[in-house]
Each structure stands twice: as structure tokens, then as C-alpha cells.
Amino acid sequence: MSTERTRILVTGGCGFLGTEIVSALLATKRYDITTIDINPPALGTSTFTQSVRYVRANILDRDALQKVFDEAKPAMVVHTVGVYRLGTARYSMKNKEGEFTVNVEGTRNVLDASKECGAKGLVYTSSVTVVLDELGKDFRNVDEQWPTGRAKTSYGQSKTIAENLVLSATTASRSFATCSLRSAPIFGPNDPTVIPTVHACIAAYQTPFVLGAAAENLQDYVYVSNVADAHVLAVANLLNSQTAAGEAFFITNGAPVPLRILCLSIWKEFGHVPAFEVKIPEGVAWWMGLEIGM
Amino acid sequence: MVSPKSIAYYVFHPNELRSIIQWKVWHNPVHERDEAKDSENLKRCFHFLNLTSRSFAAVIMELHPELLVPVTLFYLILRGLDTVEDDMTIPLEKKEPILRNFQDILEKDGWTFTENGPNEKDRQLLVEFNVVIEEFKHIKPAYREIIKDITKRMGNGMADYANNAEHNLVGVDTIRDYELYCHYVAGLVGEGLTRLFVEAGLANTALLKKPELMESMGQFLQQVNITRDIKEDLDDKRRFWPKEIWSKHVDTFEDLFKPENKQKALDCSSEMIYTALTRADDCLYYLAGLREQSVFNFCAIPQTMAIATLNACFQNYDIFEKNVKITKGEACQLMVESSQNLQLVCEVFKRYARKIAKKNNPHDPNFLKISITIGRIEQFTESIFPSQKPPVDQKSPASVEEAEKAKKQAYEDRWDLIYMTAAVILTVLIITGCMIFVAYLAGARFDIAYYELKQQVGELLGWIEPKAKAVEAVKVVTEKSEL
């Protein structure tokens, strides 16, 4: 039975999103899954040791990576590995090498290894930041027609370069087909980013302050299982009709709300509702940020 | 009647007063109607229309002439049906066959109904229902079929409810029941009207292929009314708020009105408002399918009134104590804004959605759901009226060509501008030359003009001493000119 199943390799399969993707792929009962990660599955996260092969590997180590790929012989690769920085560091262009090395060089290595081992394609986990990180700009209801390459953050730039590498790897004959899934900020159980960051505002007494248009501007977010489902669909598409080949897609909940609303909703789950609100105009906020920064 | 209270109100709300004046003075119906040509029967029908519907009569009367009579009759027929259904003094065995066969009654010459209780406000319509039937014969067969079909389905739906003892005793149970009830009394009206619009060629036929849109048009209006009329309906011993919703907040329906449950009642009302609000984006989508201005106004005005009413009811405990209404000034402003174009109506929806968002508070159990619904309204508006265009992608070859073209265009434009300027200057010079030449032929003394000019400019700039010298000079010159 299992020999008839299509082999899939997931990079970063022990991460927050990776775990969810592995779980969603397993649920289809159509795939045989190999997962590589720099870390073994963390305690408390769901693992599937019975049905999934876990291999420890670093995507920056080309030779080791090739060996794993040659052994696993995947028909399709799902590449979720990526690094990002949090807080003010996200907006800094200093020390950006880490992001560029893992996001760009890592992706190049995974692409090469995939082609070399005879895979039919690759699904790449990108990010909406490839378009939206042109800071200080509004993007109202933008779609995939919007060009990339204007991002101002190191993360957005590194993801853009990697995405271009991935998309241009699609061959004319479709013998190798790729697509890129640009995920909105992901939240969900075990989420290492969105919920902890928002939650941290409570202890820092920051919850009453509303910056700029945070109470009005709509923003997209996405629940982790929705992103995982998008990956499963992309894998199936590239293995069959290949209509997604060479394309990039925004992946969101389709339910945009202002950032302020998301924060209030999360805080309320922790039993906190700010007793009052202070609106800080955008200009003032920039100057205050400068003060604190100095 | 203008009460001192309303005078005081408009002193502090001059904007609303302005809207009332604007609507009363400047609003012209899209289609003027010549009442003198109407038959006696038809006049009687319009008389009933004005009697039975306060809000709808105005918009119906301005409809496209093709649909004015069919829609008026459609309205009166459904109102007649409703008057039979509503009347609790008619025994069920008498009521049911009338409800179920109303579509056939429409073809019985001279049919009238005099058995309504004396307190039924629209009983006179049924007493003289023969005039409606008479006029119904004269409209196009296609319209007749649509009206009969809707009447049949609505009559049967009403009969089912009249037979349903549980519904009469405890009111609406689940949200599904609630929506089904709204379907019978309003969703079907949306369908009937849409079919009439399409039949008359005044709406996009695609509207019939998206039945959920016309359903939402009716659902939105009906749900807003049910939400707002909670107190009035309670007084009339009717319950339309579904148990599935209120039971999340209170144990019995009556508990909603107890002062100690104030917060729970508000939470419950915001769930009702949320349920209605989920239909709002569909309504905008529907309005986009209308082709004719009077039909657009007819549909848009009630919808913007409805979202304004939702805003007035949101987080407002008054709805449990009295009938909450939007002010007359607000209503007039909405009518002005809703009788123009879709973009303005979208702006109205967005404006009220944001007002609702402002009052939304995190303690409300439906806080996030309401926000998501409001986001959907804004996103839909942005999707049909995008405020941004994608920037030119410098990388793609297609856009390189485009950029080249734009550059060439700009170059041509610049030369066009230069030629135009040169032509203007040349024309002015030729005309000036001609004028000077004519003046010369007529004996103009350019030497004096030149001297005067020099003198004046010199004085102005302070090169030449004014007064004495100037006067002398003028003297000299005038003497000279006499020669």
C-alpha cells in the first residue's frame, strides 16, 4: 500500500507551520512523508513518529542535504524553512546576513537538491511582506498583480529574492513546477510570534495606546491550518494539472480586521480589556519611537 | 407640525436641517407622472398605496413608468395577504384557504373581503380589493405570472406558520427558522421585484443567477425591522428574535426586558445586529446589478435607511423600551445620497459601518465577528471601487514596452504644448500689429503715447521728478499735438 503513495519532503517540518503542514498532508492519506529540520521535534508539539520519517539536516549544508534528498526521492518538496526577526530588529538593516543566508542561500540549496534528486516540483512558503514591507505605504485590497521588489525590510527583501529563485525554477516543459504561497501573519496553537507578541503588551502596560490608524486600517491574518491546507492544495496541483506553476498566491483568512481589533480580541482571551484608550497620531508616534530608540 | 423640541434639535443640527431642505427643494423624481391620465380604479390603488405604506409609497411613486403600476399592485396584493394573515380574529379554517389560494383570488372579478376585525388598520384595502383585481388584469401577462408565483409561495409559507402551533406560542426557534420566516415575508419580495426588474429590462439578468443576493436584500430589511421592533412586537405579543440567539444570554424571552439584565439584553441585541449585518455586502453587490436610476433609488434608499437604523440600534438599550428611529434630517440626507450612484451608497455603508465599529466593545461576545463583518463591507467597496492601481513593474518586458510608449507620449505632448504656445503668441502678435496699423492709419500719435509711457513709468520707479516736470511736459506735448 504505502509504496503507491507519493513521496513528499517537507523542510522545517518540526516548526509551527511545518508541523501543521505534515499533519494536513497525512490527513489526505495519499502521501509518504519525509521531514527534515535543524531541530528534532520540540517537546509538546505534535509529532507523527509512526508515519513520518524525521531526519535532522541543515539546509545550509549542501552535501548533507543532497544525501537526504537522494535517499528520500520525493516527488514534491515543500520548503517552509525561513528565519525572521522580531520587535524593532525586524525594521533594522543591521545584522541582516542571517536572514539572507538562510532564506536565500538555503532556498537555493533546497531548489538544487530537489532538481538533482528528480523531484517534479517545489512549493515555497513565502510571505505577504514581499509586497507589503514597503513601509509607510498603504496597500488597499491589493492582489498578486502588485509587483514585488520594493520591500524595505531585510526579511521582505530576502523572501523576495528567494521567491524569485523559486518561481523562475519552473521549466518551460513543466518538468519541474514551482509555486509560492505568500502567507499573511500566521496565528494558532503554539504560535511563536503573533499571539506572544500581542500578549506581551499586557505586561508592558501598552494596551491602552492606539498608534496611528491601527484602529481603522484593515489587515489580513491567517490561521495556521488554513496555510497548511493551501500547501496541500498546491502540492496536489503541481503533481496534477500544474495550473499553479510559476505563480504566487496570497494566503489569508479572507477576514481582514484592524490590528487593534485583533489585539483586543487576544487580550480579552487572557482576561484583559484596557480600561481606557489613548490615541497617538502617527507623527507623534514616530517621534516617540525615536526618543525610545535613542 | 413643527414642535419646539424639533426646532431646538435642528438649531443644534443644522446639517440635518440642510438635508431636509435639500431633499424637499431640489429633489426631482427621475420619472414625472401625469396623474390626470390615471383611471379612477388606478387612482384608488395609489390612494391605498399611500395609506398602507408610509415609507415605500414615496419610492414606488417615482419608479420607471414601465414598472410603476405592476410594483404598486404587487405591493397592494402582498399587503392584502398580510392583512389576512395578521388578523387573529379570523378563525384558522377560514384563513388557511384564503392564504393558500390568494393567487387564484387575483383572477376572481369583484372579489372583496369584509371579515377582517374592525381594528385591522388596512381592512379597507380588502373591502375594496376589486379595484386591485381590476387593475391587475391590465398589466402585462409576464408581470402577472411573476406576481402570482410569489403570492402563491408567500401565501403557502404564511399558512404553514399559521398552522404551526409552536411558532404561535413560543415564536421563532432556531436561526434557520428565523431566516426562513424572513424568506417568506421579505426574501420572496426581493425575488419578485428582481424578476420584474429583469423582465422590464431595467436590471442585469445576472442578478437572477445569484439568488442569494436578492434574498439578502429582503433579509437585510426584514432583520433590521425585527431587531428594531423588539418592544413593539412584545407589546403585540409577537416574538421574532430566535430562541437560538436569546437563549445564549437569558433564560426566558421576557428576561430580556428586565432592568437587571440590561447588559445581557444589549449583548443579545448585538448578536441580532451582527446576524443582519452579514447581509450588507450582498446588498451592495446586488445594487451593482441595477441599470436604471429610478430602480436603483427604489432599492438603495431602503437599504441605506436600514444600515443607519442598525447603527441607531447598536449598543442602544432604548430599543427595549421604545421604538428607535433615525431622525428626519438623517433620513433626508440618506435619500439624497442614495438617489445618485453606487459609489456614494458604498460610502454611506462604509460610514455607518465605521460608526458601528466605533461603538463595538471588546466585552461584547460578538466583538470580533462584528469587526470581521464590517471589514467585509469595506473590502467589498474597495474591490468594486479600487482606490489604488498597481504600480508599473519595471522588471517585466511588457511594462518596459509600456514605459517606452509612455515616454514617447510625454515627448509628443511636450511638443504639442510648444506648438500651441507659439500659435497663441503669433496670433496675439498679428492682432496687435493689425490694431496698431489701423490706429496709425487713423492718425494715432505714437510719439505722445511713447513719451507718456516713459514719463509714467519713470515716475513710478522714481527716475524722474514728478509733478512740475510732468505737467510741463504734458503742456509741451499737447501744444505740439495741436499743430
Side-chain angles (χ1 to χ4, degrees):
Chain A
M1 271 297 281
S2 69
T3 48
E4 289 169 25
R5 293 185 174 183
T6 312
R7 287 184 302 275
I8 309 280
L9 187 145
V10 181
T11 73
C14 299
F16 167 51
L17 175 62
T19 307
E20 195 73 24
I21 291 174
V22 168
S23 155
L25 284 170
L26 272 181
T28 65
K29 297 196 168 32
R30 280 190 298 190
Y31 304 116
D32 195 40
I33 302 163
T34 301
T35 279
I36 65 162
D37 205 295
I38 196 166
N39 300 310
L43 283 174
T45 58
S46 29
T47 51
F48 315 90
T49 40
Q50 300 299 312
S51 37
V52 175
R53 203 162 67 96
Y54 285 90
V55 181
R56 185 185 280 207
N58 184 342
I59 60 166
L60 295 178
D61 183 345
R62 286 184 71 99
D63 297 336
L65 197 66
Q66 193 63 58
K67 235 176 103 187
V68 178
F69 273 64
D70 287 343
E71 274 171 24
K73 290 220 168 305
M76 189 58 61
V77 176
V78 177
H79 178 38
T80 78
V81 173
V83 293
Y84 53 85
R85 293 180 290 174
L86 286 178
T88 49
R90 177 168 136 66
Y91 301 100
S92 158
M93 287 305 266
K94 284 181 206 156
N95 308 318
K96 60 182 182 181
E97 296 77 14
E99 277 167 325
F100 277 84
T101 313
V102 175
N103 296 350
V104 180
E105 293 314 314
T107 300
R108 203 191 303 275
N109 295 344
V110 171
L111 265 175
D112 291 346
S114 306
K115 285 189 266 190
E116 188 63 36
C117 77
K120 288 180 192 153
L122 179 143
V123 175
Y124 178 60
T125 312
S126 183
S127 153
V128 289
T129 57
V130 297
V131 173
L132 304 191
D133 266 11
E134 189 180 353
L135 304 175
K137 270 219 164 171
D138 285 340
F139 290 90
R140 298 189 205 101
N141 208 35
V142 302
D143 57 20
E144 291 82 358
Q145 286 179 46
W146 250 252
T148 57
R150 291 157 189 256
K152 297 280 192 301
T153 63
S154 53
Y155 179 67
Q157 288 173 357
S158 64
K159 286 302 258 192
T160 307
I161 300 171
E163 185 184 273
N164 289 340
L165 283 176
V166 169
L167 293 179
S168 57
T170 291
T171 55
S173 64
R174 299 281 185 271
S175 57
F176 191 77
T178 61
C179 77
S180 173
L181 304 178
R182 298 172 183 165
S183 159
I186 308 172
F187 65 94
N190 300 318
D191 146 27
T193 322
V194 175
I195 292 174
T197 308
V198 174
H199 176 250
C201 298
I202 301 176
Y205 300 104
Q206 291 167 337
T207 58
F209 302 103
V210 187
L211 297 190
E216 283 105 32
N217 285 357
L218 296 176
Q219 208 174 317
D220 266 308
Y221 311 91
V222 61
Y223 189 68
V224 63
S225 68
N226 289 342
V227 193
D229 290 345
H231 283 77
V232 174
L233 291 172
V235 165
N237 181 290
L238 293 186
L239 285 171
N240 298 295
S241 70
Q242 299 187 317
T243 50
E247 302 282 342
F249 303 92
F250 287 135
I251 309 296
T252 78
N253 271 354
V257 290
L259 175 60
R260 178 72 183 167
I261 301 294
L262 182 84
C263 291
L264 286 168
S265 306
I266 292 172
W267 294 330
K268 196 178 130 198
E269 294 301 316
F270 291 105
H272 173 89
V273 175
F276 61 97
E277 257 183 19
V278 181
K279 290 215 186 328
I280 301 172
E282 201 182 326
V284 178
W286 276 106
W287 282 105
M288 281 172 58
L290 203 63
E291 287 289 305
I292 296 162
M294 282 155 74
Chain B
M1 258 294 284
V2 182
S3 66
K5 209 176 139 194
S6 67
I7 293 176
Y9 178 84
Y10 288 115
V11 165
F12 290 102
H13 298 84
N15 276 339
E16 294 194 8
L17 185 61
R18 183 169 172 260
S19 298
I20 296 176
I21 296 170
Q22 228 181 322
W23 178 255
K24 299 261 143 109
V25 177
W26 297 113
H27 173 72
N28 290 319
V30 185
H31 303 285
E32 298 277 359
R33 204 169 58 85
D34 186 6
E35 284 169 46
K37 287 182 192 157
D38 293 344
S39 69
E40 281 309 307
N41 256 336
L42 200 55
K43 277 185 188 152
R44 197 69 188 149
C45 287
F46 288 133
H47 165 76
F48 281 123
L49 177 69
N50 282 308
L51 273 189
T52 52
S53 109
R54 287 135 293 275
S55 48
F56 279 111
V59 276
I60 293 179
M61 296 306 269
E62 293 187 7
L63 263 179
H64 192 282
E66 175 68 22
L67 283 182
L68 174 66
V69 176
V71 171
T72 302
L73 296 177
F74 187 32
Y75 184 85
L76 290 176
I77 287 164
L78 298 186
R79 174 58 65 158
L81 194 62
D82 190 48
T83 305
V84 175
E85 187 233 4
D86 255 7
D87 194 338
M88 290 305 162
T89 66
I90 307 172
L92 186 62
E93 59 275 16
K94 174 117 199 116
K95 190 189 274 189
E96 196 183 341
I98 298 178
L99 293 178
R100 291 206 192 274
N101 299 312
F102 211 72
Q103 74 282 0
D104 300 326
I105 285 172
L106 296 179
E107 291 183 337
K108 281 186 192 159
D109 272 338
W111 186 88
T112 58
F113 185 72
T114 52
E115 285 160 66
N116 269 120
N119 292 331
E120 204 57 35
K121 64 179 172 16
D122 295 327
R123 83 182 296 280
Q124 192 59 30
L125 170 65
L126 286 169
V127 170
E128 295 178 47
F129 205 70
N130 54 326
V131 296
V132 177
I133 292 172
E134 189 56 34
E135 282 306 314
F136 187 65
K137 283 199 282 194
H138 300 317
I139 62 173
K140 284 186 190 163
Y143 299 153
R144 259 198 326 255
E145 283 313 307
I146 295 169
I147 293 175
K148 273 170 66 184
D149 178 45
I150 300 294
T151 306
K152 181 181 167 190
R153 283 153 65 195
M154 188 184 285
N156 278 304
M158 284 173 165
D160 291 346
Y161 275 101
N163 267 325
N164 185 338
E166 195 205 342
H167 172 77
N168 295 324
L169 217 74
V170 295
V172 181
D173 189 21
T174 62
I175 294 175
R176 255 187 80 127
D177 292 344
Y178 170 61
E179 292 187 332
L180 187 66
Y181 175 79
C182 292
H183 167 74
Y184 280 127
V185 299
L188 280 175
V189 183
E191 183 191 323
L193 287 171
T194 309
R195 283 164 64 186
L196 289 176
F197 299 154
V198 171
E199 184 66 39
L202 303 177
N204 195 327
T205 42
L207 285 181
L208 295 179
K209 290 188 196 111
K210 285 192 165 288
E212 70 278 11
L213 299 184
M214 54 199 186
E215 179 69 24
S216 282
M217 288 289 282
Q219 290 274 348
F220 188 56
L221 298 186
Q222 190 64 26
Q223 292 192 15
V224 169
N225 284 347
I226 286 177
T227 304
R228 179 198 56 195
D229 292 341
I230 175 80
K231 176 73 169 85
E232 203 181 291
D233 285 337
L234 177 87
D235 294 344
D236 292 345
K237 304 204 166 33
R238 287 183 303 201
R239 299 169 179 185
F240 295 112
W241 286 26
K243 187 177 177 189
E244 188 178 340
I245 288 180
W246 59 255
S247 64
K248 282 187 213 162
H249 307 275
V250 286
D251 296 330
T252 70
F253 187 72
E254 286 73 19
D255 284 353
L256 281 175
F257 299 89
K258 289 183 181 157
E260 67 267 28
N261 292 331
K262 206 168 164 174
Q263 193 51 51
K264 288 174 183 166
L266 269 180
D267 289 348
C268 182
S269 75
S270 75
E271 189 160 346
M272 289 296 292
I273 288 169
Y274 157 70
T275 310
L277 206 56
T278 53
R279 304 283 182 163
D281 55 334
D282 271 358
C283 294
L284 292 175
Y285 195 171
Y286 179 93
L287 292 175
L290 299 177
R291 285 190 185 143
E292 203 268 338
Q293 185 72 49
S294 74
V295 172
F296 178 82
N297 300 357
F298 173 76
C299 294
I301 290 173
Q303 299 296 333
T304 54
M305 297 275 185
I307 197 166
T309 305
L310 269 193
N311 170 53
C313 295
F314 187 55
Q315 297 295 333
N316 182 357
Y317 189 71
D318 284 354
I319 61 167
F320 294 98
E321 292 169 332
K322 61 183 189 205
N323 200 338
V324 171
K325 275 188 178 149
I326 53 175
T327 63
K328 201 167 175 205
E330 206 175 350
C332 283
Q333 192 189 351
L334 288 169
M335 289 197 282
V336 172
E337 290 172 314
S338 314
S339 48
Q340 294 174 42
N341 56 53
L342 180 61
Q343 188 158 19
L344 204 55
V345 169
C346 284
E347 285 305 314
V348 172
F349 265 64
K350 219 165 102 177
R351 187 170 78 225
Y352 281 98
R354 287 210 170 170
K355 283 185 183 188
I356 291 171
K358 263 215 165 109
K359 287 189 271 181
N360 197 9
N361 85 75
H363 291 287
D364 189 329
N366 289 290
F367 174 69
L368 188 57
K369 281 186 183 171
I370 291 172
S371 299
I372 289 173
T373 312
I374 288 168
R376 243 192 10 235
I377 296 173
E378 289 207 23
Q379 193 177 26
F380 180 77
T381 305
E382 185 65 35
S383 72
I384 50 174
F385 298 111
S387 57
Q388 291 179 328
K389 261 171 65 183
V392 181
D393 189 351
Q394 251 95 31
K395 290 175 304 189
S396 77
S399 57
V400 167
E401 264 166 42
E402 252 165 53
E404 199 65 37
K405 232 166 110 186
K407 215 172 143 190
K408 215 173 144 192
Q409 183 70 39
Y411 181 76
E412 278 168 16
D413 285 351
R414 209 181 64 201
W415 273 107
D416 281 352
L417 189 74
I418 291 172
Y419 288 141
M420 286 282 268
T421 317
V424 169
I425 291 173
L426 197 70
T427 314
V428 170
L429 281 180
I430 290 170
I431 292 172
T432 313
C434 290
M435 284 168 73
I436 290 174
F437 184 64
V438 170
Y440 165 77
L441 290 181
R445 291 289 305 272
F446 294 110
D447 51 344
I448 304 174
Y450 174 70
Y451 191 85
E452 283 267 336
L453 190 73
K454 209 171 96 181
Q455 194 67 25
Q456 298 271 327
V457 171
E459 266 177 46
L460 207 67
L461 300 176
W463 295 337
I464 301 166
E465 288 272 318
K467 298 266 161 138
K469 255 190 182 170
V471 173
E472 204 181 321
V474 170
K475 227 168 153 186
V476 173
V477 172
T478 37
E479 271 164 20
K480 254 189 191 171
S481 70
E482 272 166 6
L483 286 175

